[in-house]
């Protein structure tokens, strides 16, 4: 599943539509594109794993890619879009096609607010409230590994960032979230912000050291996530289920 850096990267790229009137269509006929067709795109914003395209119709298009969704960019525009395209947003020189999202819907302003109220602070947003994130982590009844995946605690972290950030901080995914100290949390937040920001710039998650980062193979790009042994110390990786997803951690680097 795409993590927050992917959605923020998309929001940045799709920013090319801002200020333009878009031709909106749904070749698949499963989205009411007429409601925003011919209107101006006012903003494209990412909040965690959610993308919001605000329009001059007073409606926002809310997209969650889920496991299989993707946006494809066509420039120049060729043809009307494949029949499986849920939503096409086109201007003269470029078209963005949305395929297989888990959610694509229109939100009124009040619904947009309600969506954002349900999300925790997003480490990639400049206005993210660190104190609020800490409050939500410490109030979470369960392990930190589950808290980090709960989008109502912190928005945008998925399974890869969870594994890699906890490893950098030496925190076991099973440690109760409420037991994180002030300094534990601040260190974790800083690591998450830095790791996710780098991933937006690089377009992928690489946590190992490398001179030529673009050349690092996908399956060798993480220190613990889906690894047999720890990149740092060589200890066999612990694989468990935490927060409903498979967690990867090093029992030596992250003893508790
Ligand atoms: Zn280790």
């Amino acid at each position: 599943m795409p993590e927050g850096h992917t959605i923020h990267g998309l929001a940045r790229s799709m920013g090319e539509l801002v200020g333009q009137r878009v031709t909106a269509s749904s070749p698949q006929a499963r989205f009411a594109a007429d409601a925003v067709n011919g209107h101006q795109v006012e903003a494209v914003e990412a909040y965690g794993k959610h993308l919001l395209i605000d329009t001059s119709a007073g409606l926002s298009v809310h997209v969650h890619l889920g496991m299989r969704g993707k946006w494809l960019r066509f420039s120049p525009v060729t043809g009307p879009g494949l029949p499986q395209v849920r939503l096409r947003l086109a201007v003269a020189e470029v078209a963005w096609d949305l395929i297989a999202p888990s959610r694509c819907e229109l939100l009124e302003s009040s619904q947009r607010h309600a969506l954002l109220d349900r999300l925790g602070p997003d480490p990639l947003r400049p206005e993210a409230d660190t104190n609020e994130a800490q409050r939500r982590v410490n109030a979470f009844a369960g392990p930190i590994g589950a808290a980090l995946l709960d989008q109502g605690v912190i928005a945008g972290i998925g399974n890869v960032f969870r594994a890699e950030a906890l490893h950098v901080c030496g925190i076991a995914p099973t440690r109760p979230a409420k037991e994180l100290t002030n300094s534990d949390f601040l260190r974790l937040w800083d690591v998450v912000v830095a790791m996710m920001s780098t991933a937006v710039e690089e377009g992928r998650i690489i946590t190992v050291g490398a001179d030529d980062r673009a050349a690092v193979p996908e399956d060798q790009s993480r220190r613990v996530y889906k690894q047999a042994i720890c990149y740092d110390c060589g200890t066999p990786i612990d694989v468990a289920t935490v927060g409903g997803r498979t967690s990867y951690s090093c029992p030596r680097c992250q003893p508790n």
Side-chain angles (χ1 to χ4, degrees):
M1 183 185 290
E3 304 197 22
H5 69 296
T6 301
I7 312 306
H8 278 266
L10 273 170
R12 189 184 286 185
S13 300
M14 293 180 75
E16 66 184 347
L17 298 175
V18 172
Q20 305 209 57
R21 289 188 186 284
V22 287
T23 301
S25 59
S26 180
Q28 194 184 38
R30 287 183 57 194
F31 177 73
D34 285 355
V36 293
N37 185 35
H39 285 272
Q40 186 165 308
V41 173
E42 295 183 332
V44 183
E45 299 279 346
Y47 294 87
K49 301 176 184 176
H50 300 259
L51 187 75
L52 287 168
I53 303 161
D54 301 328
T55 73
S56 59
L59 295 167
S60 301
V61 180
H62 168 222
V63 173
H64 194 293
L65 292 177
M67 298 294 282
R68 297 185 299 117
K70 62 181 68 165
W71 284 98
L72 302 174
R73 182 181 187 271
F74 294 92
S75 181
V77 181
T78 54
L82 297 169
Q84 64 266 42
V85 170
R86 181 76 55 89
L87 168 63
R88 161 169 281 205
L89 295 174
V91 292
E93 65 282 5
V94 62
W96 285 88
D97 285 357
L98 175 63
I99 312 274
S102 72
R103 182 164 291 197
C104 176
E105 63 184 355
L106 291 167
L107 299 184
E108 295 180 357
S109 175
S110 61
Q111 295 169 307
R112 185 186 191 283
H113 277 109
L115 168 72
L116 298 185
D117 281 348
R118 289 196 298 274
L119 297 176
D122 174 348
L124 287 173
R125 292 201 62 90
E127 78 279 10
D129 184 340
T130 310
N131 292 330
E132 179 62 15
Q134 182 169 12
R135 196 189 64 72
R136 294 185 185 209
V137 164
N138 286 138
F140 187 84
I144 183 62
L148 292 183
L149 294 184
D150 186 329
Q151 301 300 300
V153 176
I154 296 175
I157 296 177
N159 212 11
V160 182
F161 286 127
R162 163 176 83 161
E164 297 298 312
L166 288 174
H167 177 255
V168 168
C169 296
I171 297 172
T174 50
R175 187 191 298 181
K178 66 178 187 301
E179 289 181 11
L180 261 69
T181 64
N182 191 44
S183 64
D184 286 336
F185 174 81
L186 293 176
R187 165 94 171 117
L188 179 59
W189 181 262
D190 285 348
V191 164
V192 165
V193 169
M195 197 176 269
M196 294 181 77
S197 300
T198 300
V200 174
E201 298 304 324
E202 297 185 328
R204 54 190 287 225
I205 306 172
I206 309 172
T207 59
V208 299
D211 291 333
D212 183 1
R213 294 173 66 81
V216 177
E218 187 65 12
D219 62 354
Q220 295 168 31
S221 57
R222 287 80 186 243
R223 289 171 189 253
V224 290
Y225 178 79
K226 288 192 174 176
Q227 301 300 304
I229 60 168
C230 174
Y231 178 84
D232 287 8
C233 75
T235 301
I237 292 298
D238 266 353
V239 179
T241 300
V242 179
R245 304 280 303 277
T246 304
S247 81
Y248 304 85
S249 61
C250 171
R252 184 155 182 262
C253 298
Q254 304 161 261
N256 55 54

